[in-house]
Amino acid sequence: HRSFVIADIPGLIEGAADGAGLGTRFLKHLARTSLLLHLIDVLPPEGSEAPVTSARKIVAELEKYSKELSTRPRWLVLNKTDLLPDDQREQVCSEIVKALDWNGPVFEISAISKQGTRELMFAIMENIEQEREAEVAETSDKQIDDEL
């Protein structure tokens, strides 16, 4: 009986924070979230930007739009790992993590085969529950302080 909502925010483009495309609408939705999952395809379609370039642009848009939003917890989710040969998967994923200078949680998944998605889902639920428990404890502490 545990649940949470995930909002997929496609179409966040360079210039979104300045109103390009539907960017500010997407960014307003992001502002209502407690955790951002930065989903990157390890093998993007041919002719598209490199995963790291695309990720940096999104981070820049978050920073331009809102300091609060840019510092919100973010997890890196590397998708389409099933398309990489087993002997290259670890190297490609670690190169992306290193190039982004990523320090937070990293998950390797394949959305189509569901590889790693269960672990990601449970980690998200655990994070949400821990945040709720912390909020309840903080509220209780504040009420006690107010009564004193």
Side-chain angles (χ1 to χ4, degrees):
H1 301 300
R2 299 162 47 189
S3 67
F4 58 89
V5 175
I6 292 180
D8 181 15
I9 311 295
L12 187 60
I13 60 171
E14 192 171 14
D18 300 322
L22 297 174
T24 54
R25 287 187 191 170
F26 290 136
L27 288 164
K28 285 179 184 175
H29 286 294
L30 287 178
R32 298 183 343 201
T33 64
S34 62
L35 174 66
L36 300 175
L37 301 179
H38 199 120
L39 186 68
I40 295 177
D41 291 342
V42 294
L43 286 178
E46 193 171 315
S48 62
E49 290 182 317
V52 172
T53 303
S54 177
R56 286 183 180 146
K57 286 181 180 180
I58 290 172
V59 170
E61 290 304 315
L62 292 174
E63 290 170 348
K64 277 200 304 191
Y65 181 73
S66 163
K67 172 82 170 146
E68 180 185 341
L69 186 57
S70 71
T71 59
R72 188 149 304 154
R74 278 185 289 141
W75 294 358
L76 182 60
V77 180
L78 301 173
N79 187 34
K80 298 186 179 180
T81 57
D82 60 318
L83 298 178
L84 295 169
D86 288 339
D87 62 332
Q88 294 178 13
R89 182 177 300 127
E90 185 177 332
Q91 179 184 349
V92 170
C93 291
S94 65
E95 285 174 1
I96 292 171
V97 170
K98 184 178 179 181
L100 289 172
D101 194 26
W102 195 269
N103 295 317
V106 178
F107 293 84
E108 296 177 15
I109 70 164
S110 168
I112 198 160
S113 71
K114 298 186 173 114
Q115 173 190 340
T117 57
R118 184 176 176 85
E119 293 83 1
L120 174 60
M121 176 185 64
F122 283 120
I124 293 168
M125 188 74 246
E126 184 176 319
N127 177 270
I128 290 170
E129 289 175 344
Q130 287 174 350
E131 283 183 15
R132 287 179 185 158
E133 288 173 11
E135 286 175 9
V136 167
E138 185 178 310
T139 301
S140 295
D141 290 346
K142 187 177 186 303
Q143 287 174 346
I144 291 169
D145 288 344
D146 290 345
E147 290 175 6
L148 294 176

